Amino acid sequence: MPRPISVTISVSALAHNLAVVRHHLRQAAAAAANTDGAPATAPSIWAVIKAHAYGHGTAQGVQGFAKADGLAMLDLAEAIECRESGWTGPILLLEGCFEPADLDYADRYRLTSVVHSAEQLDMLARARPARPLDVFVKLDSGMHRLGFAPGAYAAAHARALELHSQGIVGTVGRMTHFANADAPDGVAEQLGVFQRVTGGLPGPVSICNSAATLRYPEIALARPGMASWVRPGICLYGASPFADANAASFGLKPAMSLRSRIIATQDLQAGDAVGYGGLYVADAPMRIGVVACGYADGYPRHAGTGTPIVVAGTRTRVLGRVSMDMLAVDLTPVPQAGVGAPVSLWGVDGPSVDEVAQAAGTIGYELLCALAQRVPVRTAS
Ligand SMILES: *Cc1c(COP(=O)(O)O)cnc(C)c1O
């Protein structure tokens, strides 16, 4: 019998979450039309599927987000996989091209590229694509990661328009990325920079990640003559971008469920220590279970005693240090659970991935992306 761990990816949860985001944007558009009277429509949605769809699998992402307006990712190989699996809509490369040869693939597979540097504009200037390549010229509005500085943006955008007139570039869009959309600081400052620098320019815009899409949908709306795209990632997988609001509060459903089983039990006496380092010491007689899941499966080693976990439908806690292949759980609230009892580490019938992440001092994103190759994947419709 194989080791009892597995992960289930729910394609219908992915589709559900996309529909939730779509609905949220449509409501914002309707509200805007009511308040300011200016015609506004919901933006198009790039479903972000980088990092193998945040650990859910590129194929599952393509299937779950079949109704997205576009797919966004970083890796050429993933983009090609999407095309070859039949995705015919737009594909956005979020970091653009890394070397001139990438532009040949962008041409062949009709990929839209972010252009965030002068080097990328130089590469484009030397390219001879069969069809003009669509681009989004990225502004660094304050995150200081990728993009042209505000003072350099107008010239970069003008260069892209010149490449457009030469038939090398097709559509020229404008884009930026928020550093604090999930935090109290919000987006006001960066949005102000984006509007000041790119305001009068033509072309579609793309500014919002999950946090900004959920919290500030009104800033993402399309207006007459101005197409707009949002770029949600994490929320489409049913996890939250916020420390102070869980995914369920937005009606999102977890798409990844990590499950295993109890493979051994132990009866401890007061003073008995559990696992490496003996970090948990029983203060009275108790029963514990050993679960076939460890950090080599992607479960965070920093999840210490108290991390929530569900055994046979009952919420309990992790005890002591997570090992490579196993972890220990408190069976006090589930005295009937023995070898073979089902364990839910995170997902539909477990704690949320965000709760586990918080207990481990990280975010749900990291746990989803770090799911290990060795965990067998089941895809549920
Ligand atoms: C990853 C990424 C996103 C999606 O971010 P989430 O927080 O997962 O919604 C959007 N835009 C860019 C440029 C990204 O790299």
Side-chain angles (χ1 to χ4, degrees):
M1 184 180 140
R3 203 165 154 255
I5 191 168
S6 69
V7 68
T8 302
I9 306 300
S10 166
V11 170
S12 62
L14 297 175
H16 166 87
N17 294 333
L18 177 67
V20 166
V21 171
R22 182 90 71 193
H23 179 71
H24 184 70
L25 290 164
R26 287 192 176 141
Q27 280 192 316
N34 287 338
T35 54
D36 62 19
T41 49
S44 302
I45 301 176
W46 298 108
V48 178
I49 61 162
K50 62 189 177 187
H52 301 287
Y54 289 51
H56 296 65
T58 303
Q60 287 85 346
V62 173
Q63 216 185 324
F65 305 136
K67 290 190 177 157
D69 304 291
L71 300 175
M73 68 212 76
L74 311 175
D75 203 90
L76 262 184
E78 288 177 328
I80 293 168
E81 189 183 340
C82 292
R83 276 285 177 257
E84 293 187 337
S85 70
W87 174 264
T88 56
I91 292 180
L92 176 65
L93 295 174
L94 290 164
E95 293 178 350
C97 290
F98 302 98
E99 58 177 28
D102 296 353
L103 289 168
D104 298 338
Y105 290 97
D107 183 20
R108 173 140 39 112
Y109 291 96
R110 291 177 294 108
L111 310 178
T112 302
S113 295
V114 167
V115 173
H116 63 77
S117 69
E119 291 80 359
Q120 289 180 328
L121 281 171
D122 293 341
M123 284 188 234
L124 275 169
R126 290 191 297 267
R128 292 293 171 267
R131 280 167 297 204
L133 298 164
D134 292 340
V135 302
F136 276 81
V137 181
K138 187 167 187 178
L139 171 70
D140 172 16
S141 57
M143 187 173 186
H144 299 114
R145 199 173 61 173
L146 294 183
F148 293 94
Y153 192 84
H157 192 274
R159 235 186 124 194
L161 288 181
E162 193 183 308
L163 295 171
H164 171 83
S165 66
Q166 294 167 13
I168 296 174
V169 162
T171 306
V172 178
R174 298 163 276 157
M175 169 181 168
T176 196
H177 191 64
F178 295 127
N180 297 305
D182 59 319
D185 299 8
V187 298
E189 194 169 328
Q190 281 188 265
L191 181 63
V193 173
F194 183 77
Q195 287 170 338
R196 174 172 59 77
V197 174
T198 80
L201 298 171
V205 299
S206 178
I207 57 176
C208 291
N209 57 4
S210 295
T213 300
L214 292 173
R215 218 155 248 183
Y216 313 103
E218 67 283 357
I219 69 172
L221 300 178
R223 301 286 175 173
M226 193 201 76
S228 179
W229 291 78
V230 291
R231 308 185 305 274
I234 194 71
C235 63
L236 299 180
Y237 302 95
S240 175
F242 305 111
D244 60 356
N246 64 35
S249 69
F250 295 97
L252 301 165
K253 293 182 182 169
M256 179 191 288
S257 298
L258 180 60
R259 298 191 181 92
S260 186
R261 288 185 186 276
I262 302 273
I263 58 169
T265 60
Q266 300 278 346
D267 291 301
L268 304 185
Q269 302 306 313
D272 286 350
V274 177
Y276 288 117
L279 293 195
Y280 180 79
V281 179
D283 54 13
M286 68 184 293
R287 222 166 132 254
I288 68 166
V290 176
V291 180
C293 180
Y295 62 78
D297 300 299
Y299 195 87
R301 184 173 173 278
H302 289 98
T305 296
T307 302
I309 188 163
V310 169
V311 176
T314 299
R315 197 176 253 251
T316 178
R317 58 181 182 145
V318 170
L319 298 176
R321 203 176 260 168
V322 172
S323 308
M324 184 186 271
D325 313 303
M326 286 170 271
L327 56 81
V329 293
D330 187 351
L331 292 183
T332 309
V334 257
Q336 80 287 1
V339 169
V343 177
S344 182
L345 296 122
W346 65 66
V348 276
D349 43 13
S352 72
V353 71
D354 294 316
E355 288 176 276
V356 177
Q358 195 177 21
T362 184
I363 51 177
Y365 294 74
E366 189 181 11
L367 303 194
L368 296 175
C369 296
L371 181 79
Q373 278 287 322
R374 80 173 186 183
V375 179
V377 179
R378 298 177 184 172
T379 303
S381 59

